[in-house]
Amino acid sequence: MSDQRTVRIGKRTIEISRPDKVLFPDDGITKSDLVDHYRRVARRMVPQLRGRPLMMLRHPDGIAGEGIVQKNAPAHFPDWVRLAELPKQGGTVTHVLCEDAATLVFLADQACITPHRWLSRADRPNHPDRLVYDLDPSDGTGFPEVRWAAQRLCGLLDGLGLPTQLMTTGSRGLHVIVPLDRRMDFDGVRAFARDTAELLAGRHPDRLTTEPAKADRGARVYLDTQRNAYAQTAVAPYAVRAIPGAPVAMPITREELDDPGLDARRWTMAATAERLDQADPWGGMPRRGRSLHSARSRLAEGMSRR
């Protein structure tokens, strides 16, 4: 087993310790493989992370071992890794900001298998520029139901004048993401997300639910809006999940929702290179996020007709 590997990225030279360490024992995937994945996806992934505080899910002993949820950046991190100190109840947390490919590769060397990102940026942490609906299948509910729910949710948001980004989570469900202009704080964004989810669930009570308790969901897709809060995180696009097979959270197009073969774990580390050769599924999105004020007025009209 090699003790070290040197990776050069831009102006940075990163020493990968124990590159042959197996992180996914059923698949033989090593830390070096993880580094190669994040180096490969960096051109699309880093723009989705830049400026955002991260939460790191680390597995130093591989996914068979105990995972570490880490928010505070350790003191041994190099000084070129950008940090942001943000308030929490009773103190502060110093988060990593992933500003470049070198940082992404360095985090992989720390056995950070899955980075999770805030929905806001560090300069205005209480004003999100992303709204996320997490569509989670209940026990006994297959992914076709998740696809159906995403189509209905996108249709509702279309009617409210809001563009959407779609992403398989690499785990069970699918994220529907709305880029925002950062004018509204988390309380307002969460209230809007909750109201839209409740409106949609009210239209399809046999197939959709906003009930947080699993026992109350039945065989329905859960429209989870609770991530839309200060310091909450969502899995980052192109992040590897700590699950056998190394599935990847993958951006998709609206048209791909019609594919009956679509599944939350369809793409893995092994299939990412081919995916990157295709057009960016999010490439056509407007550069500026949308305001929720007009959408909220349209939503109020729709709710008054329920």
Side-chain angles (χ1 to χ4, degrees):
M1 180 178 291
S2 173
D3 289 334
Q4 209 158 41
R5 171 191 171 191
T6 300
V7 175
R8 179 76 179 177
I9 303 181
K11 298 179 180 179
R12 308 294 180 193
T13 299
I14 303 171
E15 301 294 338
I16 308 300
S17 63
R18 302 186 68 194
D20 296 331
K21 169 71 177 178
V22 175
L23 299 180
F24 293 76
D26 292 344
D27 307 285
I29 295 173
T30 65
K31 185 195 285 189
S32 191
D33 296 326
L34 185 71
V35 165
D36 289 341
H37 167 82
Y38 281 117
R39 191 178 189 183
R40 186 165 52 243
V41 302
R43 62 187 172 89
R44 289 191 183 174
M45 186 173 182
V46 170
Q48 301 296 332
L49 300 180
R50 195 172 284 128
R52 300 178 186 282
L54 296 185
M55 183 271 284
M56 300 171 285
L57 179 57
R58 298 177 55 235
H59 283 266
D61 298 319
I63 65 170
E66 191 73 23
I68 301 170
V69 175
Q70 189 161 7
K71 298 180 180 180
N72 260 311
H76 70 266
F77 274 27
D79 57 10
W80 52 264
V81 173
R82 286 195 58 197
L83 307 174
E85 185 176 359
L86 296 173
K88 68 170 185 177
Q89 188 173 5
T92 62
V93 177
T94 301
H95 291 271
V96 170
L97 303 179
C98 186
E99 304 297 279
D100 51 32
T103 301
L104 195 56
V105 168
F106 174 77
L107 295 180
D109 177 52
Q110 303 301 302
C112 175
I113 292 178
T114 314
H116 289 69
R117 63 176 184 168
W118 279 36
L119 305 182
S120 59
R121 299 180 186 271
D123 60 337
R124 297 188 70 193
N126 200 39
H127 287 76
D129 65 349
R130 295 290 184 272
L131 182 160
V132 173
Y133 300 88
D134 183 5
L135 278 54
D136 188 18
S138 302
D139 292 340
T141 305
F143 203 78
E145 284 293 299
V146 175
R147 291 193 298 108
W148 183 89
Q151 290 167 334
R152 300 309 178 278
L153 178 57
C154 288
L156 172 61
L157 296 172
D158 285 346
L160 299 176
L162 296 174
T164 52
Q165 297 172 322
L166 301 171
M167 183 181 76
T168 60
T169 64
S171 180
R172 285 169 45 88
L174 186 146
H175 285 178
V176 178
I177 304 164
V178 179
L180 304 177
D181 62 1
R182 305 208 294 175
R183 293 184 181 180
M184 191 174 289
D185 64 15
F186 268 115
D187 287 343
V189 171
R190 185 171 59 256
F192 176 86
R194 183 185 61 244
D195 289 345
T196 49
E198 289 180 350
L199 176 61
L200 193 63
R203 292 177 178 175
H204 308 283
D206 295 334
R207 302 179 77 168
L208 304 175
T209 181
T210 58
E211 292 289 346
K214 289 186 177 181
D216 296 330
R217 296 179 197 170
R220 296 178 291 177
V221 174
Y222 174 41
L223 306 177
D224 184 1
T225 60
Q226 297 188 76
R227 296 178 186 274
N228 298 287
Y230 178 83
Q232 294 297 305
T233 62
V235 63
Y238 301 100
V240 180
R241 306 309 298 262
I243 299 170
V248 173
M250 186 62 70
I252 64 172
T253 66
R254 184 80 163 264
E255 292 71 25
E256 286 176 299
L257 281 180
D258 297 327
D259 182 356
L262 184 66
D263 186 78
R265 302 184 188 182
R266 178 168 180 174
W267 288 279
T268 65
M269 278 178 55
T272 302
E274 180 180 353
R275 182 72 171 175
L276 293 175
D277 288 337
Q278 303 169 5
D280 184 353
W282 292 356
M285 291 297 296
R287 291 193 174 186
R288 293 186 177 182
R290 295 294 176 86
S291 168
L292 286 183
H293 292 289
S294 296
R296 186 164 56 180
S297 297
R298 296 189 188 102
L299 178 64
E301 294 174 6
M303 295 185 73
S304 67
R305 295 193 295 266
R306 286 178 62 177

